[in-house]
Amino acid sequence: MFKVWFSGNNLSFHRFVFSVPVSVDKRSTVRNKLKRRTKEWVRRNIGQTNRKNLDVFLSFKKDITQVTKNEFYKELDKIFKQVFS
C-alpha cells in the first residue's frame, strides 16, 4: 500500500511528504482525499516523539484505493511504528 523512505534531519521537528501518483487514481479528488487523511492522521498521532527528528517520504501504491478506511489507518499505524521505533 505504501513505500516509505526516511532520514534524520537537524531540525527541531519532523517533515513529511506524501506522494499520490496519478497511477493510483486519475481523479485529483481521490488523490487529495488520501493526502488529507494521511496528514490528519500524522497530526493526531505523531506530534513530537522522543526519537530524532526525521524527514519522511510516503508514496502510495495503486492498491490503496481498494482498502477500507480502517485498514488504511491500521497500515499507517504499523508503518509509522516501524519508522519511529
Side-chain angles (χ1 to χ4, degrees):
M1 282 195 269
F2 306 103
K3 285 185 183 179
V4 179
W5 296 271
F6 60 94
S7 66
N9 69 37
N10 294 325
L11 303 172
S12 60
F13 51 88
H14 303 294
R15 295 188 295 184
F16 296 91
V17 175
F18 307 113
S19 173
V20 185
V22 175
S23 62
V24 170
D25 197 302
K26 287 191 245 180
R27 298 168 292 179
S28 61
T29 54
V30 173
R31 297 191 314 270
N32 290 336
K33 183 178 180 180
L34 289 168
K35 287 190 267 187
R36 280 194 309 273
R37 280 185 183 172
T38 308
K39 287 176 190 176
E40 184 62 19
W41 185 91
V42 166
R43 186 186 69 79
R44 289 183 179 188
N45 293 290
I46 299 298
Q48 289 293 343
T49 61
N50 294 334
R51 181 152 165 42
K52 180 180 173 184
N53 292 315
L54 298 173
D55 293 332
V56 180
F57 180 85
L58 182 72
S59 179
F60 293 80
K61 293 183 182 178
K62 288 183 181 182
D63 61 349
I64 195 69
T65 57
Q66 305 302 318
V67 298
T68 65
K69 196 184 222 183
N70 287 335
E71 290 171 341
F72 176 80
Y73 290 132
K74 283 180 186 177
E75 189 67 24
L76 273 178
D77 192 44
K78 185 172 89 174
I79 285 175
F80 280 106
K81 280 184 181 176
Q82 291 173 352
V83 169
F84 286 102
S85 62

Coordinates of all heavy atoms in Angstrom, one line a residue:
M1 N 0.8 -1.2 0.0 CA 0.0 0.0 0.0 C 0.8 1.3 0.0 O 0.4 2.3 -0.6 CB -0.9 0.0 1.2 CG -2.1 -0.9 1.1 SD -3.4 -0.5 2.3 CE -2.9 -1.7 3.6
F2 N 2.0 1.2 0.7 CA 2.9 2.4 0.8 C 4.3 2.0 0.5 O 4.7 0.9 0.8 CB 2.8 3.0 2.2 CG 1.5 3.3 2.7 CD1 0.8 2.5 3.6 CD2 0.8 4.5 2.3 CE1 -0.4 2.8 4.1 CE2 -0.4 4.8 2.8 CZ -1.0 3.9 3.7
K3 N 5.1 3.0 0.1 CA 6.5 2.9 0.1 C 7.0 4.1 1.0 O 6.5 5.2 0.9 CB 7.1 3.1 -1.2 CG 7.0 2.0 -2.2 CD 7.7 2.3 -3.5 CE 7.5 1.1 -4.5 NZ 8.2 1.4 -5.7
V4 N 7.9 3.8 1.9 CA 8.4 4.8 2.9 C 9.9 4.9 2.8 O 10.6 3.9 2.8 CB 8.0 4.4 4.3 CG1 8.4 5.5 5.3 CG2 6.5 4.2 4.4
W5 N 10.4 6.2 2.8 CA 11.8 6.5 2.9 C 11.9 7.5 4.0 O 11.0 8.4 4.2 CB 12.3 7.1 1.6 CG 12.3 6.2 0.5 CD1 13.3 5.3 0.1 CD2 11.3 6.0 -0.5 NE1 13.0 4.6 -1.0 CE2 11.7 5.1 -1.4 CE3 10.0 6.6 -0.7 CZ2 10.9 4.7 -2.5 CZ3 9.3 6.3 -1.8 CH2 9.7 5.3 -2.7
F6 N 12.9 7.4 4.8 CA 13.1 8.4 5.9 C 14.6 8.5 6.2 O 15.4 7.7 5.9 CB 12.4 8.0 7.2 CG 12.8 6.6 7.7 CD1 13.8 6.6 8.7 CD2 12.2 5.5 7.3 CE1 14.2 5.4 9.3 CE2 12.6 4.3 7.8 CZ 13.6 4.2 8.8
S7 N 14.9 9.7 6.7 CA 16.3 10.0 7.1 C 16.2 11.1 8.2 O 15.2 11.8 8.3 CB 17.1 10.5 5.9 OG 16.7 11.7 5.4
G8 N 17.3 11.2 8.9 CA 17.3 12.1 10.0 C 17.5 13.5 9.5 O 18.0 13.8 8.4
N9 N 17.1 14.5 10.3 CA 17.3 15.9 9.9 C 17.8 16.6 11.2 O 17.7 16.1 12.3 CB 16.1 16.6 9.3 CG 15.0 16.8 10.3 OD1 15.1 17.1 11.5 ND2 13.7 16.6 9.8
N10 N 18.4 17.8 11.0 CA 19.0 18.5 12.1 C 18.0 19.6 12.6 O 18.4 20.6 13.2 CB 20.3 19.2 11.7 CG 21.3 18.1 11.4 OD1 21.4 17.1 12.1 ND2 22.2 18.3 10.5
L11 N 16.7 19.5 12.3 CA 15.7 20.5 12.7 C 15.1 20.0 14.0 O 15.3 18.9 14.5 CB 14.7 20.6 11.6 CG 15.2 21.0 10.3 CD1 14.1 20.9 9.2 CD2 15.8 22.4 10.3
S12 N 14.3 20.9 14.6 CA 13.6 20.5 15.9 C 12.2 20.0 15.6 O 11.4 19.9 16.5 CB 13.5 21.8 16.7 OG 12.7 22.8 16.0
F13 N 11.9 19.5 14.4 CA 10.6 18.9 14.1 C 10.8 17.9 12.9 O 11.8 17.9 12.3 CB 9.6 20.0 13.7 CG 10.2 21.0 12.6 CD1 10.0 20.7 11.3 CD2 10.9 22.1 12.9 CE1 10.5 21.5 10.3 CE2 11.4 23.0 12.0 CZ 11.2 22.7 10.6
H14 N 9.7 17.1 12.8 CA 9.7 16.2 11.7 C 9.1 16.9 10.4 O 8.4 17.8 10.5 CB 8.7 15.0 12.0 CG 9.0 14.3 13.2 ND1 10.2 13.5 13.4 CD2 8.4 14.2 14.4 CE1 10.2 13.0 14.6 NE2 9.1 13.4 15.2
R15 N 9.5 16.4 9.2 CA 9.0 16.8 8.0 C 8.4 15.6 7.2 O 9.0 14.6 7.2 CB 10.0 17.5 7.1 CG 10.5 18.8 7.8 CD 11.4 19.6 6.9 NE 12.6 18.8 6.5 CZ 13.6 19.3 5.8 NH1 13.6 20.6 5.3 NH2 14.7 18.6 5.6
F16 N 7.2 15.8 6.6 CA 6.6 14.8 5.9 C 6.3 15.2 4.5 O 5.9 16.3 4.2 CB 5.3 14.4 6.6 CG 5.4 13.8 7.9 CD1 5.4 14.7 9.0 CD2 5.6 12.5 8.1 CE1 5.6 14.2 10.3 CE2 5.8 12.0 9.4 CZ 5.8 12.8 10.5
V17 N 6.4 14.2 3.5 CA 6.0 14.4 2.1 C 5.1 13.2 1.8 O 5.5 12.1 2.0 CB 7.2 14.5 1.2 CG1 6.7 14.6 -0.3 CG2 8.1 15.7 1.5
F18 N 3.9 13.5 1.2 CA 3.0 12.5 0.8 C 2.8 12.6 -0.7 O 2.4 13.6 -1.2 CB 1.7 12.6 1.5 CG 1.8 12.7 3.0 CD1 1.5 13.8 3.7 CD2 2.2 11.6 3.7 CE1 1.6 13.9 5.0 CE2 2.4 11.7 5.1 CZ 2.1 12.8 5.7
S19 N 3.1 11.5 -1.4 CA 3.0 11.5 -2.9 C 2.0 10.4 -3.3 O 2.1 9.3 -3.0 CB 4.4 11.1 -3.4 OG 4.3 10.9 -4.8
V20 N 1.0 10.9 -4.0 CA 0.0 10.0 -4.6 C 0.0 10.2 -6.1 O -0.5 11.2 -6.6 CB -1.4 10.4 -4.0 CG1 -2.4 9.4 -4.5 CG2 -1.4 10.5 -2.5
P21 N 0.6 9.2 -6.8 CA 0.8 9.4 -8.2 C -0.6 9.3 -9.0 O -1.5 8.7 -8.4 CB 1.6 8.2 -8.6 CG 2.2 7.6 -7.4 CD 1.3 8.1 -6.3
V22 N -0.6 9.7 -10.2 CA -1.8 9.7 -11.0 C -2.2 8.2 -11.3 O -3.4 7.9 -11.5 CB -1.6 10.5 -12.3 CG1 -2.8 10.3 -13.2 CG2 -1.4 11.9 -12.0
S23 N -1.2 7.3 -11.2 CA -1.5 5.9 -11.5 C -2.4 5.3 -10.4 O -3.0 4.3 -10.6 CB -0.2 5.1 -11.6 OG 0.5 5.2 -10.3
V24 N -2.4 5.9 -9.2 CA -3.3 5.5 -8.1 C -4.8 5.7 -8.6 O -5.6 4.8 -8.4 CB -3.0 6.2 -6.8 CG1 -4.1 5.9 -5.8 CG2 -1.7 5.7 -6.3
D25 N -5.1 6.9 -9.0 CA -6.4 7.2 -9.5 C -6.3 8.5 -10.3 O -5.5 9.4 -10.0 CB -7.4 7.5 -8.3 CG -8.8 7.4 -8.7 OD1 -9.2 8.2 -9.6 OD2 -9.6 6.6 -8.2
K26 N -7.0 8.6 -11.4 CA -6.9 9.7 -12.3 C -7.5 11.0 -11.7 O -7.1 12.1 -12.0 CB -7.6 9.5 -13.6 CG -6.9 8.5 -14.5 CD -7.5 8.6 -15.9 CE -8.1 7.2 -16.2 NZ -8.8 7.1 -17.5
R27 N -8.5 10.8 -10.8 CA -9.2 11.9 -10.2 C -8.4 12.5 -9.1 O -8.0 11.9 -8.1 CB -10.6 11.4 -9.7 CG -11.5 10.8 -10.8 CD -12.6 10.1 -10.2 NE -12.1 8.9 -9.5 CZ -12.9 8.1 -8.9 NH1 -14.2 8.2 -8.8 NH2 -12.4 7.0 -8.3
S28 N -8.2 13.8 -9.2 CA -7.4 14.5 -8.2 C -8.2 14.6 -6.8 O -7.5 14.6 -5.8 CB -7.2 16.0 -8.6 OG -8.4 16.7 -8.8
T29 N -9.5 14.5 -6.9 CA -10.3 14.5 -5.6 C -9.9 13.3 -4.8 O -9.8 13.3 -3.6 CB -11.8 14.5 -5.9 OG1 -12.1 13.5 -6.7 CG2 -12.2 15.9 -6.5
V30 N -9.7 12.1 -5.4 CA -9.4 10.9 -4.7 C -8.0 11.0 -4.1 O -7.7 10.7 -3.0 CB -9.5 9.7 -5.6 CG1 -9.0 8.4 -5.0 CG2 -11.0 9.5 -6.0
R31 N -7.0 11.5 -5.0 CA -5.7 11.7 -4.5 C -5.6 12.7 -3.4 O -4.9 12.4 -2.4 CB -4.8 12.1 -5.7 CG -4.7 11.0 -6.8 CD -3.6 11.3 -7.8 NE -3.6 12.7 -8.3 CZ -4.2 13.1 -9.4 NH1 -5.1 12.3 -10.1 NH2 -4.1 14.4 -9.8
N32 N -6.3 13.7 -3.5 CA -6.2 14.7 -2.4 C -6.9 14.2 -1.1 O -6.4 14.5 0.0 CB -6.9 16.0 -2.8 CG -6.2 16.8 -3.9 OD1 -4.9 16.6 -4.0 ND2 -6.9 17.6 -4.7
K33 N -7.9 13.4 -1.2 CA -8.5 12.8 -0.1 C -7.6 11.9 0.7 O -7.5 12.0 1.9 CB -9.8 12.0 -0.5 CG -10.6 11.4 0.6 CD -11.8 10.7 0.0 CE -12.6 10.0 1.0 NZ -13.8 9.4 0.4
L34 N -6.8 11.1 0.0 CA -5.8 10.3 0.6 C -4.7 11.1 1.3 O -4.4 10.8 2.4 CB -5.1 9.4 -0.5 CG -6.0 8.3 -1.1 CD1 -5.3 7.7 -2.3 CD2 -6.3 7.2 0.0
K35 N -4.3 12.2 0.7 CA -3.3 13.0 1.3 C -3.9 13.7 2.6 O -3.2 13.8 3.6 CB -2.8 14.1 0.4 CG -1.9 13.5 -0.7 CD -1.2 14.6 -1.5 CE -2.0 14.9 -2.7 NZ -1.3 15.8 -3.6
R36 N -5.1 14.2 2.5 CA -5.8 14.8 3.7 C -5.9 13.8 4.8 O -5.6 14.2 6.0 CB -7.1 15.4 3.3 CG -7.1 16.7 2.6 CD -8.4 17.4 2.6 NE -9.5 16.5 2.1 CZ -9.8 16.4 0.8 NH1 -9.2 17.0 -0.1 NH2 -10.8 15.6 0.5
R37 N -6.3 12.6 4.5 CA -6.5 11.6 5.6 C -5.1 11.3 6.3 O -5.0 11.2 7.5 CB -7.0 10.3 5.0 CG -8.4 10.2 4.8 CD -8.8 8.8 4.3 NE -10.2 8.8 4.0 CZ -10.8 7.8 3.4 NH1 -10.1 6.7 3.1 NH2 -12.1 7.8 3.2
T38 N -4.1 11.2 5.5 CA -2.8 10.9 6.0 C -2.2 12.1 6.8 O -1.7 11.9 7.9 CB -1.8 10.6 4.8 OG1 -2.4 9.6 4.0 CG2 -0.5 10.1 5.4
K39 N -2.4 13.3 6.3 CA -2.0 14.5 7.1 C -2.7 14.6 8.4 O -2.0 14.8 9.5 CB -2.2 15.8 6.3 CG -1.3 15.9 5.1 CD -1.7 17.2 4.4 CE -0.9 17.3 3.1 NZ -1.4 18.4 2.3
E40 N -3.9 14.3 8.4 CA -4.7 14.4 9.7 C -4.2 13.3 10.7 O -4.1 13.5 11.9 CB -6.2 14.3 9.4 CG -7.1 14.5 10.6 CD -6.9 15.8 11.3 OE1 -6.4 16.8 10.7 OE2 -7.3 15.9 12.5
W41 N -4.0 12.1 10.1 CA -3.6 11.0 11.0 C -2.2 11.3 11.6 O -2.0 11.1 12.8 CB -3.5 9.7 10.2 CG -3.1 8.5 11.0 CD1 -4.0 7.7 11.7 CD2 -1.8 8.1 11.4 NE1 -3.3 6.8 12.4 CE2 -2.0 7.0 12.3 CE3 -0.6 8.5 11.1 CZ2 -0.9 6.3 12.8 CZ3 0.5 7.8 11.6 CH2 0.3 6.8 12.5
V42 N -1.3 11.9 10.8 CA 0.0 12.3 11.3 C -0.1 13.3 12.3 O 0.5 13.3 13.4 CB 0.9 12.7 10.1 CG1 2.2 13.4 10.7 CG2 1.3 11.5 9.3
R43 N -0.9 14.3 12.1 CA -1.1 15.4 13.1 C -1.6 14.9 14.4 O -1.1 15.3 15.5 CB -2.1 16.4 12.5 CG -2.3 17.7 13.4 CD -3.4 18.6 12.9 NE -4.7 18.0 13.0 CZ -5.4 18.0 14.2 NH1 -4.8 18.5 15.3 NH2 -6.6 17.5 14.3
R44 N -2.5 13.9 14.4 CA -3.1 13.4 15.6 C -2.2 12.4 16.3 O -2.2 12.3 17.6 CB -4.4 12.7 15.4 CG -5.5 13.7 15.0 CD -6.8 13.0 14.9 NE -7.8 14.0 14.5 CZ -9.1 13.6 14.5 NH1 -9.5 12.4 14.7 NH2 -10.0 14.6 14.2
N45 N -1.4 11.7 15.6 CA -0.7 10.5 16.2 C 0.8 10.7 16.3 O 1.4 10.0 17.1 CB -1.0 9.3 15.4 CG -2.4 8.8 15.5 OD1 -2.8 8.4 16.5 ND2 -3.1 9.0 14.4
I46 N 1.4 11.5 15.5 CA 2.9 11.6 15.6 C 3.3 12.7 16.6 O 4.0 12.4 17.6 CB 3.5 11.8 14.2 CG1 3.2 10.7 13.3 CG2 5.0 12.0 14.3 CD1 3.7 9.3 13.7
G47 N 3.0 14.0 16.2 CA 3.4 15.0 17.1 C 4.9 15.0 17.3 O 5.7 14.7 16.4
Q48 N 5.4 15.4 18.5 CA 6.8 15.3 18.8 C 7.1 14.0 19.5 O 6.5 13.7 20.5 CB 7.2 16.5 19.7 CG 7.2 17.8 19.1 CD 8.3 17.9 18.0 OE1 9.2 17.2 18.0 NE2 8.2 18.9 17.1
T49 N 7.9 13.2 18.9 CA 8.3 12.0 19.5 C 9.7 12.2 20.2 O 10.4 13.1 20.0 CB 8.4 10.9 18.5 OG1 9.4 11.2 17.5 CG2 7.1 10.6 17.8
N50 N 10.1 11.2 21.0 CA 11.4 11.2 21.7 C 12.5 10.9 20.7 O 13.6 11.1 21.1 CB 11.4 10.3 22.9 CG 10.4 10.7 23.9 OD1 10.1 11.9 24.1 ND2 9.9 9.7 24.7
R51 N 12.2 10.4 19.6 CA 13.2 10.0 18.6 C 13.7 11.2 17.9 O 13.1 12.2 17.8 CB 12.5 9.0 17.7 CG 13.5 8.4 16.6 CD 13.1 7.1 16.2 NE 13.6 6.5 15.0 CZ 14.8 6.5 14.5 NH1 15.7 7.2 15.2 NH2 15.2 5.9 13.5
K52 N 14.9 11.0 17.3 CA 15.5 12.0 16.5 C 14.5 12.4 15.4 O 13.8 11.6 14.9 CB 16.7 11.4 15.8 CG 17.5 12.3 14.9 CD 18.7 11.6 14.4 CE 19.4 12.5 13.3 NZ 20.5 11.8 12.7
N53 N 14.5 13.7 15.1 CA 13.6 14.2 14.1 C 13.9 13.7 12.7 O 15.1 13.6 12.4 CB 13.6 15.7 14.1 CG 12.9 16.2 15.4 OD1 11.9 15.7 15.8 ND2 13.6 17.2 16.0
L54 N 12.9 13.4 11.9 CA 13.1 12.7 10.6 C 12.4 13.5 9.5 O 11.5 14.2 9.7 CB 12.5 11.3 10.7 CG 13.0 10.3 11.7 CD1 12.2 9.1 11.7 CD2 14.5 10.0 11.4
D55 N 12.9 13.2 8.3 CA 12.3 13.6 7.1 C 11.7 12.3 6.6 O 12.4 11.3 6.4 CB 13.2 14.1 6.0 CG 13.8 15.5 6.4 OD1 13.2 16.2 7.2 OD2 15.0 15.8 6.0
V56 N 10.3 12.3 6.3 CA 9.6 11.1 5.9 C 9.0 11.3 4.6 O 8.2 12.3 4.4 CB 8.6 10.7 7.0 CG1 7.9 9.4 6.6 CG2 9.2 10.5 8.4
F57 N 9.2 10.4 3.6 CA 8.6 10.5 2.3 C 7.7 9.2 2.2 O 8.2 8.1 2.3 CB 9.6 10.5 1.2 CG 9.0 10.5 -0.1 CD1 8.7 11.7 -0.7 CD2 8.8 9.4 -0.9 CE1 8.1 11.8 -2.0 CE2 8.3 9.4 -2.1 CZ 7.9 10.6 -2.7
L58 N 6.4 9.4 2.0 CA 5.5 8.3 1.9 C 4.8 8.4 0.5 O 4.2 9.4 0.2 CB 4.4 8.5 3.0 CG 3.3 7.4 3.1 CD1 4.0 6.1 3.6 CD2 2.2 7.8 4.0
S59 N 5.0 7.3 -0.2 CA 4.4 7.2 -1.6 C 3.4 6.1 -1.5 O 3.6 5.0 -1.0 CB 5.5 6.8 -2.6 OG 5.0 6.7 -3.8
F60 N 2.2 6.4 -2.1 CA 1.1 5.5 -2.2 C 1.2 4.6 -3.4 O 1.6 5.0 -4.5 CB -0.2 6.3 -2.2 CG -0.5 7.0 -1.0 CD1 0.1 8.3 -0.7 CD2 -1.4 6.5 0.0 CE1 -0.1 9.0 0.4 CE2 -1.6 7.2 1.1 CZ -1.0 8.5 1.3
K61 N 0.8 3.3 -3.2 CA 0.7 2.4 -4.3 C -0.7 2.3 -4.9 O -1.6 2.7 -4.2 CB 1.2 1.0 -3.9 CG 2.7 1.0 -3.5 CD 3.1 -0.5 -3.1 CE 4.5 -0.6 -2.7 NZ 4.8 -1.9 -2.3
K62 N -0.9 1.7 -6.0 CA -2.2 1.5 -6.7 C -3.2 0.9 -5.8 O -4.4 1.3 -5.9 CB -2.0 0.8 -8.0 CG -1.4 1.5 -9.1 CD -1.3 0.7 -10.3 CE -0.6 1.4 -11.4 NZ -0.6 0.7 -12.7
D63 N -2.9 -0.1 -5.0 CA -3.9 -0.9 -4.3 C -4.5 -0.1 -3.1 O -5.4 -0.6 -2.5 CB -3.3 -2.2 -3.8 CG -2.1 -2.0 -2.9 OD1 -1.6 -0.9 -2.8 OD2 -1.7 -3.1 -2.3
I64 N -4.0 1.1 -2.9 CA -4.5 1.8 -1.7 C -6.0 2.2 -1.9 O -6.7 2.3 -0.9 CB -3.7 3.1 -1.5 CG1 -3.9 3.7 -0.1 CG2 -3.9 4.1 -2.6 CD1 -3.4 2.9 1.0
T65 N -6.5 2.3 -3.1 CA -7.9 2.7 -3.3 C -8.9 1.5 -3.0 O -10.1 1.7 -2.9 CB -8.1 3.2 -4.7 OG1 -7.7 2.2 -5.6 CG2 -7.4 4.5 -5.0
Q66 N -8.3 0.3 -2.8 CA -9.1 -0.9 -2.6 C -9.4 -1.2 -1.1 O -10.1 -2.1 -0.8 CB -8.5 -2.1 -3.3 CG -8.2 -1.9 -4.7 CD -9.4 -1.6 -5.5 OE1 -10.5 -2.2 -5.3 NE2 -9.3 -0.7 -6.4
V67 N -8.7 -0.5 -0.2 CA -8.8 -0.8 1.2 C -9.8 0.1 1.9 O -10.1 1.2 1.4 CB -7.4 -0.7 1.9 CG1 -6.4 -1.6 1.3 CG2 -6.9 0.8 1.9
T68 N -10.3 -0.4 3.0 CA -11.3 0.4 3.8 C -10.5 1.5 4.6 O -9.3 1.4 4.7 CB -12.1 -0.5 4.7 OG1 -11.2 -1.0 5.7 CG2 -12.8 -1.6 4.0
K69 N -11.3 2.4 5.1 CA -10.7 3.5 5.9 C -10.0 2.9 7.1 O -8.9 3.3 7.5 CB -11.8 4.4 6.4 CG -11.4 5.7 6.9 CD -12.6 6.5 7.3 CE -12.5 7.9 6.9 NZ -13.7 8.7 7.4
N70 N -10.6 1.9 7.8 CA -9.9 1.3 9.0 C -8.6 0.6 8.6 O -7.7 0.7 9.3 CB -10.9 0.4 9.7 CG -12.0 1.1 10.4 OD1 -11.8 2.3 10.8 ND2 -13.1 0.4 10.6
E71 N -8.6 -0.1 7.5 CA -7.4 -0.8 7.1 C -6.3 0.2 6.7 O -5.2 0.0 7.0 CB -7.7 -1.7 5.9 CG -8.6 -2.9 6.2 CD -9.0 -3.6 4.9 OE1 -9.0 -3.0 3.8 OE2 -9.4 -4.8 5.0
F72 N -6.7 1.3 6.1 CA -5.8 2.4 5.8 C -5.1 2.9 7.0 O -3.9 3.0 7.1 CB -6.6 3.5 5.1 CG -5.8 4.7 4.7 CD1 -5.0 4.7 3.6 CD2 -5.9 5.8 5.5 CE1 -4.3 5.8 3.3 CE2 -5.2 7.0 5.2 CZ -4.3 7.0 4.1
Y73 N -5.9 3.2 8.1 CA -5.3 3.7 9.3 C -4.5 2.7 10.0 O -3.4 3.0 10.6 CB -6.4 4.3 10.2 CG -7.0 5.5 9.7 CD1 -8.4 5.7 9.6 CD2 -6.3 6.6 9.2 CE1 -9.0 6.8 9.2 CE2 -6.9 7.7 8.7 CZ -8.2 7.9 8.7 OH -8.8 9.0 8.2
K74 N -4.9 1.4 10.0 CA -4.1 0.4 10.6 C -2.7 0.2 10.0 O -1.7 0.1 10.6 CB -4.8 -1.0 10.6 CG -5.9 -1.1 11.6 CD -6.6 -2.4 11.5 CE -7.9 -2.5 12.4 NZ -8.6 -3.7 12.2
E75 N -2.7 0.3 8.6 CA -1.5 0.2 7.9 C -0.6 1.4 8.2 O 0.6 1.3 8.3 CB -1.8 0.1 6.4 CG -0.6 -0.2 5.6 CD 0.0 -1.6 5.8 OE1 -0.8 -2.5 6.3 OE2 1.2 -1.8 5.5
L76 N -1.1 2.6 8.2 CA -0.4 3.8 8.6 C 0.3 3.6 10.0 O 1.4 3.9 10.2 CB -1.2 5.0 8.6 CG -1.4 5.8 7.3 CD1 -2.3 7.0 7.5 CD2 -0.1 6.3 6.7
D77 N -0.5 3.2 10.9 CA -0.1 3.0 12.3 C 1.1 2.0 12.3 O 2.1 2.2 12.9 CB -1.2 2.5 13.1 CG -0.9 2.5 14.6 OD1 -0.3 3.5 15.1 OD2 -1.2 1.5 15.3
K78 N 1.0 0.9 11.6 CA 2.0 -0.1 11.5 C 3.3 0.4 10.9 O 4.4 0.2 11.5 CB 1.5 -1.3 10.7 CG 2.5 -2.5 10.7 CD 1.9 -3.7 10.0 CE 2.2 -3.6 8.5 NZ 1.7 -4.8 7.8
I79 N 3.2 1.2 9.8 CA 4.4 1.7 9.2 C 5.1 2.8 10.1 O 6.3 2.7 10.2 CB 4.0 2.4 7.8 CG1 3.7 1.3 6.8 CG2 5.0 3.3 7.3 CD1 3.2 1.8 5.5
F80 N 4.3 3.7 10.7 CA 5.0 4.7 11.5 C 5.5 4.2 12.8 O 6.4 4.7 13.3 CB 4.0 5.9 11.7 CG 4.0 6.8 10.5 CD1 2.9 6.8 9.6 CD2 5.1 7.6 10.2 CE1 2.9 7.6 8.5 CE2 5.1 8.4 9.1 CZ 4.0 8.4 8.2
K81 N 5.0 3.1 13.3 CA 5.6 2.4 14.5 C 6.9 1.9 14.1 O 7.9 2.0 14.9 CB 4.7 1.3 15.0 CG 3.6 1.9 15.9 CD 2.7 0.7 16.5 CE 1.6 1.3 17.3 NZ 0.7 0.3 17.9
Q82 N 7.1 1.4 12.9 CA 8.4 0.9 12.5 C 9.4 2.0 12.3 O 10.5 1.9 12.6 CB 8.2 0.1 11.2 CG 7.5 -1.2 11.3 CD 7.2 -1.9 10.0 OE1 7.4 -1.3 8.9 NE2 6.7 -3.1 10.0
V83 N 8.9 3.1 11.7 CA 9.8 4.2 11.4 C 10.3 4.9 12.7 O 11.4 5.2 12.8 CB 9.0 5.3 10.5 CG1 9.8 6.6 10.4 CG2 8.8 4.7 9.1
F84 N 9.4 5.1 13.6 CA 9.7 5.8 14.8 C 10.1 5.0 16.0 O 10.2 5.4 17.1 CB 8.5 6.7 15.2 CG 8.4 7.9 14.3 CD1 7.4 8.0 13.3 CD2 9.3 9.0 14.4 CE1 7.3 9.1 12.5 CE2 9.2 10.1 13.6 CZ 8.2 10.1 12.6
S85 N 10.4 3.7 15.8 CA 10.8 2.8 16.9 C 12.3 2.7 16.9 O 13.0 3.0 16.0 CB 10.2 1.4 16.8 OG 10.6 0.8 15.6

